[in-house]
């Protein structure tokens, strides 16, 4: 589509973000947890909702869908019900096209959506400085999903569904004693949060550099986690499992 689009965020519930992509006329919404907030934004800005993208089946992501379908009977909803096995992109009217990336792990059916090869709506798979809990129990899948996201162009912008950044950063600083390494990014995040209350989106290049969950194949990180947990860490996957366990107990 023409580059004349905007991506905006709506805050919902305690720390959720609802992301909206629009071209001043039509809009697609990602994970509308609450319908009223979306509806207000659309009507304040004279936008027509044409599409809904759902990353996964948790109520703080899909809670507003039914109400939006009643308000906009023609809206097309793309969800996670096994469709990703057959499809690798979803296209709405007016040129809104998204690449689908299956990212099981947080739950078995989790999808990420990539827009314009640049903007990644990653739900609860990837957070800034963190990743989603592995509710599925399938750590291999969760690790593989993160590897998949790591292979995207480094200038990709990531739009997670929660504002967990500051908390995740505190966990990172507690886990990695090399606090100098994080000094600059910590200052950037602090001022962003102070100015706008929001730390997102975040560049994949920064996540590759600072997010421990994306650095599990780094020997230095493996040694750090082995030290912390007094476990033998033999590879990236073992490091990821141990790190996720640490984070669960943080
Ligand atoms: Zn979730």
């Amino acid at each position: 589509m023409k580059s004349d689009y905007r991506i905006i965020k709506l805050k919902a519930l305690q720390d959720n973000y609802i992301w909206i992509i629009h071209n001043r006329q039509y809009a697609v919404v990602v994970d509308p947890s609450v319908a009223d907030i979306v509806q207000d934004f659309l009507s304040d800005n004279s936008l027509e909702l044409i599409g809904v993208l759902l990353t996964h089946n948790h109520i703080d992501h899909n809670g507003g869908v039914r109400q939006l379908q009643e308000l906009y009977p023609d809206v097309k909803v793309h969800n996670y019900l096994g469709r990703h096995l057959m499809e690798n992109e979803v296209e709405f009217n007016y040129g809104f096209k998204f690449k689908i990336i299956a990212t099981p792990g947080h739950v078995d059916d989790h999808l990420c959506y990539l827009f314009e090869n640049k903007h990644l709506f990653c739900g609860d798979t990837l957070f800034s400085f963190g990743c989603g809990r592995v509710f599925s129990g399938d750590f291999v899948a969760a690790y593989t999903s993160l590897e998949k996201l790591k292979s995207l162009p480094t200038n990709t912008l990531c739009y997670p569904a929660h504002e967990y950044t500051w908390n995740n950063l505190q966990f990172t600083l507690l886990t990695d004693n090399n606090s100098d390494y994080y000094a600059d990014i910590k200052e950037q995040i602090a001022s962003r949060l102070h100015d706008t209350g929001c730390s997102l989106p975040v560049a994949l290049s920064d996540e590759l550099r600072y997010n421990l969950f994306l650095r599990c194949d780094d020997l230095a990180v493996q040694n750090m986690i082995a030290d912390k947990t007094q476990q033998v860490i033999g590879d990236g996957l073992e490091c990821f499992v141990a790190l996720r366990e640490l984070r669960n107990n943080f």
Side-chain angles (χ1 to χ4, degrees):
M1 78 185 287
K2 280 179 274 161
S3 56
D4 188 21
Y5 58 83
R6 291 177 175 201
I7 299 174
I8 66 97
K9 61 173 183 293
L10 301 175
K11 290 193 170 201
L13 305 174
Q14 206 178 339
D15 47 36
N16 276 78
Y17 288 121
I18 300 170
W19 297 104
I20 294 184
I21 306 99
H22 73 83
N23 63 3
R24 295 196 178 87
Q25 210 176 349
Y26 302 103
V28 171
V29 61
V30 184
D31 284 351
S33 48
V34 181
D36 291 346
I37 298 171
V38 176
Q39 191 195 349
D40 287 349
F41 175 80
L42 294 173
S43 66
D44 287 352
N45 293 279
S46 307
L47 293 168
E48 186 185 330
L49 186 67
I50 58 164
V52 175
L53 293 170
L54 298 175
T55 60
H56 66 294
N57 179 26
H58 281 163
I59 193 74
D60 61 325
H61 295 258
N62 63 10
V65 175
R66 189 167 297 176
Q67 193 181 326
L68 288 174
Q69 282 178 303
E70 280 162 17
L71 290 163
Y72 303 91
D74 294 332
V75 74
K76 179 174 164 186
V77 178
H78 190 275
N79 62 28
Y80 32 73
L81 297 172
R83 288 191 189 198
H84 54 283
L85 299 175
M86 287 103 68
E87 296 173 0
N88 51 29
E89 67 174 31
V90 52
E91 186 166 2
F92 300 101
N93 291 335
Y94 313 107
F96 288 89
K97 208 192 279 187
F98 297 81
K99 189 175 171 214
I100 301 168
I101 306 171
T103 53
H106 175 62
V107 292
D108 286 327
D109 290 310
H110 189 296
L111 304 178
C112 294
Y113 299 98
L114 184 66
F115 180 63
E116 294 283 301
N117 266 320
K118 173 95 199 254
H119 306 280
L120 177 73
F121 300 95
C122 46
D124 285 0
T125 292
L126 176 69
F127 298 123
S128 185
F129 288 87
C131 73
R133 267 178 193 262
V134 185
F135 287 124
S136 69
D138 191 342
F139 284 87
V140 176
Y143 184 67
T144 310
S145 292
L146 291 179
E147 291 292 303
K148 229 186 253 187
L149 299 186
K150 278 168 69 172
S151 70
L152 293 172
T154 55
N155 66 345
T156 302
L157 292 174
C158 308
Y159 299 72
H162 290 276
E163 180 60 67
Y164 288 161
T165 309
W166 192 253
N167 206 27
N168 284 339
L169 178 60
Q170 300 313 309
F171 168 75
T172 305
L173 292 171
L174 201 74
T175 307
D176 186 348
N177 298 325
N178 182 13
S179 60
D180 283 355
Y181 184 74
Y182 303 93
D184 288 351
I185 192 82
K186 185 182 173 188
E187 205 177 298
Q188 280 176 39
I189 293 167
S191 73
R192 239 178 135 176
L193 284 170
H194 177 266
D195 293 346
T196 67
C198 177
S199 65
L200 306 174
V202 61
L204 182 61
S205 54
D206 278 342
E207 291 305 304
L208 292 171
R209 208 161 157 200
Y210 298 114
N211 185 333
L212 291 175
F213 291 92
L214 298 187
R215 297 173 58 208
C216 287
D217 54 357
D218 181 334
L219 267 182
V221 173
Q222 292 178 14
N223 289 336
M224 174 206 309
I225 301 305
D227 262 8
K228 272 271 176 255
T229 60
Q230 297 296 302
Q231 289 177 38
V232 179
I233 303 287
D235 59 21
L237 175 62
E238 286 178 9
C239 181
F240 173 71
V241 173
L243 182 62
R244 190 54 252 183
E245 185 71 22
L246 274 180
R247 181 64 181 82
N248 289 351
N249 298 319
F250 169 60

